[in-house]
Every structure is written in C-alpha cells, then in structure tokens.
Amino acid sequence: MAADTKLIRAGQMYRTYYREAITAKDYRQAVPVVVTTLEQLQQRGAHAAVWRRLGRTEEQTLTAALDNPDGEVLYRSQYARADAEDERLRTAEREARRPVCTPCAGKFTDERWEEITMHQTAVRAGDKSLCGPCHADDVARKEAVAEAARLQAAAPPEPQEAPEPDRGRRWFRRRT
C-alpha cells in the first residue's frame, strides 16, 4: 500500500532557481495519510504520540504527523538563506571587478565607476585609470597649467636689452 500511495502522500520538490540549496518539499498537492491502532488509541488517547504518517518512521502526535516540517516553512527559510548567499556572491564578484586607481591604488567609487563605463559620460570621463579624487587633482593640475599658459601668452613681452657693441674688436674700423 505504501508504494501505491507514494504519489499522493509524498511532496514534490520546489521548482526554483536554487535547486541545490533547497531540500524542502511542496505538499500542496499531497494528502497526508496517518494511521494508528485502536489499541493504542484506547491505551494512550488520541492526543498522545500514537499516530504514524506513511513515509515516516516514528510515532507522533496527530498535529506533528499532519505537519510538514520539510514543507513551506523550511522552503522559506532555505530560500532566504540561498538568496542571501547569492547576493553575497554577486557583491563579492562585483567588488572583484571594481577598477583600481593607478596612482593611489584605491578602489573606484560607484559614481566614478559608472562615469567611466556609461557611454554618454565615458567620453567626458577623462583618464579612465584614475579614481575620483585623483581625477579631480588631474583636472585641477591641467587647468592650472592651461591658465599659466594663457597668462603667459597674454602678458606683454619683456623688452630685451641690446648687447653693447664691443668697440675694440670690429672687423671694419673707421680709420681716422
């Protein structure tokens, strides 16, 4: 009889993304079959551990026999644990891909990383091997150099003094 009722009483595995992490079973379509003897009911009563659910080995109380400890509650806890582990792995993988600044060896911030990878802002991002602070310093240095060059070009040229001719050493001298 146990083999005949297995399809009815056994739970199905949940169909989920986390197949290895979830061992809970879906009992929504299952019919629990519990049995006992009349002798045990008369000796210990219906509230005692006299019920045996098909597919389990020990005798239980009626509520424990009808309960599915490896059902929905276990599924929710295992799913939450698997989801948290998946999120932790994705975060670790993302951090491993995060670029590192060449001069200071610091990791890029999310804003700077997005700035150098997004197509619209990547053109204006400047040197893509620099983190945010190093990029700001680089921009400030380039602006200071450009400003100095602009001021140099705008300043009037300094007058140069003509060298005094050396009177005693001319090739062509005036003869007196």
Side-chain angles (χ1 to χ4, degrees), residues 66-81:
L66 293 175
D67 187 26
N68 297 313
D70 58 344
E72 186 70 23
V73 174
L74 179 64
Y75 171 74
R76 285 187 188 140
S77 68
Q78 287 179 340
Y79 189 88
R81 229 182 357 258

Side-chain angles (χ1 to χ4, degrees), residues 57-102:
T57 57
E58 72 279 349
E59 291 181 342
Q60 302 169 316
T61 63
L62 184 58
T63 56
L66 293 175
D67 187 26
N68 297 313
D70 58 344
E72 186 70 23
V73 174
L74 179 64
Y75 171 74
R76 285 187 188 140
S77 68
Q78 287 179 340
Y79 189 88
R81 229 182 357 258
D83 199 35
E85 178 66 15
D86 189 47
E87 181 64 30
R88 186 189 67 76
L89 289 174
R90 280 185 293 187
T91 302
E93 181 182 304
R94 185 174 194 277
E95 287 303 312
R97 286 191 326 241
R98 186 179 293 272
V100 177
C101 180
T102 306

Side-chain angles (χ1 to χ4, degrees), residues 26-41:
D26 184 4
Y27 288 99
R28 289 179 291 191
Q29 298 293 322
V31 176
V33 178
V34 292
V35 294
T36 191
T37 63
L38 188 56
E39 184 179 299
Q40 286 182 328
L41 282 174

Side-chain angles (χ1 to χ4, degrees), residues 163-170:
E164 292 185 19
D166 215 5
R167 296 196 182 240
R169 298 191 172 196
R170 287 189 170 178

Side-chain angles (χ1 to χ4, degrees), residues 18-163:
Y18 308 110
R19 290 194 178 152
E20 294 83 29
I22 306 236
T23 59
K25 295 183 179 174
D26 184 4
Y27 288 99
R28 289 179 291 191
Q29 298 293 322
V31 176
V33 178
V34 292
V35 294
T36 191
T37 63
L38 188 56
E39 184 179 299
Q40 286 182 328
L41 282 174
Q42 288 174 343
Q43 287 176 357
R44 301 190 338 207
H47 295 294
V50 295
W51 300 96
R52 181 176 297 237
R53 182 171 176 170
L54 295 183
R56 297 186 188 170
T57 57
E58 72 279 349
E59 291 181 342
Q60 302 169 316
T61 63
L62 184 58
T63 56
L66 293 175
D67 187 26
N68 297 313
D70 58 344
E72 186 70 23
V73 174
L74 179 64
Y75 171 74
R76 285 187 188 140
S77 68
Q78 287 179 340
Y79 189 88
R81 229 182 357 258
D83 199 35
E85 178 66 15
D86 189 47
E87 181 64 30
R88 186 189 67 76
L89 289 174
R90 280 185 293 187
T91 302
E93 181 182 304
R94 185 174 194 277
E95 287 303 312
R97 286 191 326 241
R98 186 179 293 272
V100 177
C101 180
T102 306
C104 72
K107 293 222 174 200
F108 281 34
T109 61
D110 287 338
E111 294 82 21
R112 178 65 179 154
W113 192 8
E114 184 177 318
E115 184 179 315
I116 67 166
T117 55
M118 298 306 268
H119 178 66
Q120 294 86 1
T121 58
V123 177
R124 298 180 306 246
D127 190 355
K128 295 178 182 170
S129 66
L130 299 177
C131 65
C134 291
H135 175 65
D137 293 345
D138 187 47
V139 168
R141 183 185 51 77
K142 286 179 181 176
E143 286 176 357
V145 167
E147 181 69 18
R150 188 182 62 76
L151 289 175
Q152 180 73 18
E158 295 180 14
Q160 294 182 350
E161 296 181 15

